[in-house]
Amino acid sequence: MPATDLDQIVNLCKRRGFVYPSAEIYGGFRSSYDYGPLGSLMLRNVKDAWVRAMVQERDDTVLIDAAILGPPQVFEASGHLANFSDPLVDCTVCKRRFREDQLDDRDCPQSKKGCTFTEARAFNLMFKTHAGPVEGEGADVYMRPETAQGMFVNFANVLQTSRKKPPFGIAQVGKSFRNEITPGNFIFRTREFEQMEMEFFVPPAEGPKWYSYWCEARMQWYIDHGIPADLLRIRAHESDELSHYSAGTSDIEFKFPWGWGELEGIAQRTDFDLKRHAEFSKQRLEYFDQTTNERYVPYVVEPAAGANRTMAAFLLAAYDEDIINDETRTVLRLHPRLAPYQVAVLPLSKKDTLSPVAKEIFGRLSKRYMCEYDETQAIGRRYRRQDEIGTPLCVTVDFDTLEDQSVTIRDRDTTNQERVAIADLESVIAQRLGF
Ligand code: GAP
């Protein structure tokens, strides 16, 4: 049973070292989070799984890593300076500020009935700062609100250097920043977050075909990595929900404990961005097809996912409690590629005779997998800890190992144990994990 209460995951994350409130020793920094020893590994695994599917296993995409800070021209051209805003209203009684589109009715959630609101004003969500020693006009820079613009401004560079031709994609994983008015639900909506985005450039007539293709492929990615299909759905945007650049968007949504929430949007950005950047930069951002002698501005289909909220969804979906030997255990049934550790190496006791053998095994396995070495506590408690942090396999070194050169492999999901010769360990683990 996946977690039905967000607190189950929030507590586990804090207790085991996945996610901590940021700057906690100073009372916390609202809606910011730090990823601890396990969370940083898992978040990296989520991003790596995305890069594997979107870049490594394809021959039509490349990866870039563009700057986070950008000059105003980029965001004038992209439309973010003019359009990337939320409508805000102030309650005239409590003076609190709310997003108009998130007020269920016309009553203030704080002051309740009888209040009035000011007219809605557009509040731009971009973080602005300044570069260099002088503040003011000319020194303004913005922190990117999406990684996407890095792909558009580098379109010509990538085209020249990568020898790709449409249909081809430019992918990027990295931090984005939005001054969200209503951050919340743990790592679901924060002001600093990581995106995994692909701009897929196609001949204009192929836009609809690739839009369907990416909606299907991206949905499958979540299922392949362990989210049950009944916790996922795809929902087309109503026309009044569409971003300023989009001619059509579908969201992949996950059934969070508080309701359906977006993990990823797949948008038809048409030629909006390339045309705007061409106009503002006065550069040619087109593709010349030498076989047909045709010059055109490619259309873009954009699958845009968030790494943090996707990690939250993977955690919620993997969470389970079952009964083992009359005891309730918590187990994270994470996909082996997403689990912080793939293997834990556990000497049965701290005896000097077992540690050297266990360390030798750890040394070998850790070249290939993220492994944990743990020789504290009773073995049962160590198994429970590995179950709770999602480690698919435990390798236990016991006193028989010294005689028979074999170890026990314990499976997280079934708790079954199997005796395996040390000589066969790597191939058995590779077969069990699937990589
Ligand atoms: N380039 C298109 C774009 O940025 P978006 O739907 O605004 O589209 C894409 O963002 C994804 O980024 C979202 O589906 C979500 O997973 C993630 N995301 C957006 N805002 C977020 C926030 N404040 N906190 C965490 N993740 C966020």
Side-chain angles (χ1 to χ4, degrees), residues 307-329:
N308 315 81
R309 57 173 73 168
T310 296
M311 173 171 150
F314 283 130
L315 284 169
L316 285 158
Y319 186 94
D320 196 10
E321 288 174 11
D322 60 7
I323 310 278
I324 300 292
N325 300 335
D326 294 332
E327 257 184 56
T328 304
R329 75 160 177 164

Side-chain angles (χ1 to χ4, degrees), residues 80 84 145-149 152 176-180 182-184 187-197 199 222 237 243 245 249 251-252 262-267 269 302-310:
H80 284 89
F84 197 55
E146 57 170 11
T147 61
Q149 296 308 317
F152 296 123
S176 294
F177 301 82
R178 296 181 189 176
N179 196 1
E180 298 280 3
T182 47
I187 52 174
F188 180 79
R189 190 185 306 285
T190 49
R191 297 197 173 100
E192 171 181 346
F193 54 94
E194 289 195 76
Q195 291 187 306
M196 310 183 288
E197 299 197 292
E199 307 308 320
Y222 293 95
H237 278 206
S243 308
Y245 51 72
T249 296
D251 285 346
I252 294 177
E262 173 190 345
L263 296 178
E264 165 159 1
I266 297 115
R269 288 183 86 127
E302 176 198 62
N308 315 81
R309 57 173 73 168
T310 296

Side-chain angles (χ1 to χ4, degrees), residues 13-127:
C13 282
K14 178 80 200 304
R15 189 171 67 248
R16 292 301 192 187
F18 281 84
V19 182
Y20 313 120
S22 194
E24 201 180 11
I25 59 168
Y26 293 102
F29 177 46
R30 198 174 151 245
S31 301
S32 285
Y33 293 92
D34 296 339
Y35 290 73
L38 299 183
S40 56
L41 291 179
M42 183 173 171
L43 186 60
R44 200 183 67 155
N45 290 345
V46 170
K47 294 183 285 185
D48 284 353
W50 187 89
V51 171
R52 172 179 296 277
M54 301 297 272
V55 183
Q56 184 176 329
E57 292 176 357
R58 302 186 64 94
D59 62 2
D60 56 359
T61 58
V62 291
L63 187 70
I64 65 163
D65 191 351
I68 285 173
L69 292 175
Q73 293 93 310
V74 170
F75 302 108
E76 266 165 39
S78 71
H80 284 89
L81 276 174
N83 299 312
F84 197 55
S85 53
D86 279 342
L88 291 195
V89 293
D90 293 340
C91 169
T92 53
V93 178
C94 69
K95 310 291 181 207
R96 288 191 142 191
R97 192 163 278 181
F98 300 97
R99 258 177 71 171
E100 188 186 40
D101 56 336
Q102 286 185 348
L103 286 173
D104 282 343
D105 46 38
R106 290 304 297 175
D107 288 327
C108 168
Q110 196 70 21
S111 313
K112 304 294 174 203
K113 287 201 185 312
C115 58
T116 53
F117 290 103
T118 57
E119 285 290 308
R121 277 174 305 147
F123 175 82
N124 194 288
L125 297 181
M126 271 193 299
F127 280 104

Side-chain angles (χ1 to χ4, degrees), residues 42-43 61 65 87 101 120 143 154 157 180 206-207 212 230 257 277 308 356-357:
M42 183 173 171
L43 186 60
T61 58
D65 191 351
D101 56 336
M143 291 162 85
N154 280 297
N157 282 336
E180 298 280 3
E206 295 183 18
S212 308
D230 61 343
H277 284 299
N308 315 81
V357 184

Side-chain angles (χ1 to χ4, degrees), residues 211 234-243 245-253 262 264-267:
Y211 178 59
I234 189 149
R235 185 184 68 81
H237 278 206
E238 302 291 336
S239 56
D240 61 352
E241 277 181 272
L242 291 175
S243 308
Y245 51 72
S246 174
T249 296
S250 288
D251 285 346
I252 294 177
E253 297 183 332
E262 173 190 345
E264 165 159 1
I266 297 115

